[in-house]
Amino acid sequence: TAPKVVAINAGYHGCHGVLAIHAKLSGLKVVDLLDPANWDAAGLGAGDVVHVETPLNPTGEARNIQQFAELAHARGAWLTVDATLGPPGLQDPFRHGADFVMHSGTKYVGGHSDMLCGILATRNKKAYWGLYTERVFLGSVMGSLEGWLGVRSVRTLELRVRRQSDNATALVRWLDGLLQSKEDSEEARIVTRTVQRVQHASLQKDEMAWLAQQMPDGYGPVFAISMRTPDMARRFPSKLALFHHATSLGGVESLIEWRRMSDATVDGSLLRVSVGVEAWEDLRDDFMSGFRALAAEADGVGMEKTVQAGRERISAGKAQEEESLRTIPPVEEEVASQWNSNLNF
């Protein structure tokens, strides 16, 4: 399409990296997707691109495809949709006005973490044959093994992604329920001590008028957890048994990632969760075990700090303290001795 202006906001950091290269080479203008007035100021019009990622990476929150289609088409621009986190079986962006739809097929289309694949789809026949011809010269053709793996995977695509989406929604409902709970249960106390927020399309209650139509069969298998501190987020994945700590997503196995590892732009307390096809109750129990481990560590750290503070106070005034201890009556001296021995466990 050779756009002069592209409207984009947040989402996969790799897209922003590629656009930065185009901006350097051609003077491409990149404007904020959420500010249509800024589009007009930059001259966004015929042949330009409005790019929407939905659900959004890494939070799993959804954006209104039809709304952006209307805004783009009113200016003569194309609407491109990155639907990697909302694969076929969960949403069809063409039904809501998308001109081009792209997927990292490595993720849910492949579904087994064993192939690399990129997908670009359009219903515009002229654009299709143009892309087909250009692919010959660019060389971006899948190998025969990847093609075979892709065909294998597509056969179970709908079964997998709906199961994964249902699992994610159940986990989000459980977690958010504990965060909002007014009951003084042990689980709620531990979760509220360690978790600050959960993000997922299923929690966009005020936007269900369009969201239920856009994603009628599930709200996506990816969601985000914001922990109380970046340190908790960094350590939490190591407390889990069923979730692998990995950057990818979309496979039948559940993954969790401290997102700061691969994207320096996100908050350090954020974890991205990609839910697999396991029993969601097992995943829930694994989460709960991890939260308990973090809470126990926090208690232990607090005790260590208290002990260290006591040691420092004794060391700082050691000479004066030794002098004063000589005047303590025998019973009090015994107590002081016991206190010193406790500090040295």
Side-chain angles (χ1 to χ4, degrees), residues 46-57:
D48 291 329
V49 168
V50 175
H51 181 74
V52 175
E53 182 178 319
T54 187
L56 201 60
N57 186 4

Side-chain angles (χ1 to χ4, degrees), residues 259-338:
R259 190 60 180 162
R260 181 59 71 85
M261 284 175 46
S262 57
D263 185 357
T265 66
V266 303
D267 188 274
S269 63
L270 189 137
L271 294 162
R272 185 182 71 183
V273 183
S274 171
V275 182
V277 299
E278 306 92 340
W280 86 267
E281 296 88 349
D282 292 338
L283 300 175
R284 173 200 62 195
D285 294 345
D286 197 27
F287 266 155
M288 200 63 235
S289 176
F291 294 139
R292 284 194 177 96
L294 275 186
E297 282 187 358
D299 291 339
V301 167
M303 182 182 295
E304 289 172 10
K305 286 182 178 179
T306 300
V307 172
Q308 183 63 27
R311 286 174 174 161
E312 290 173 355
R313 285 194 299 271
I314 290 172
S315 297
K318 188 174 181 180
Q320 295 88 340
E321 187 175 5
E322 287 176 350
E323 179 64 28
S324 64
L325 285 174
R326 293 192 187 97
T327 64
I328 297 177
V331 174
E332 293 184 19
E333 185 173 333
E334 181 179 348
V335 172
S337 176
Q338 183 63 42

Side-chain angles (χ1 to χ4, degrees), residues 12 82-85 102-110 117-119 249:
Y12 179 51
D82 183 342
T84 297
L85 272 61
M102 61 186 70
H103 295 268
S104 171
T106 303
K107 308 303 191 291
Y108 291 100
V109 175
C117 169
I119 297 170
L249 56 93

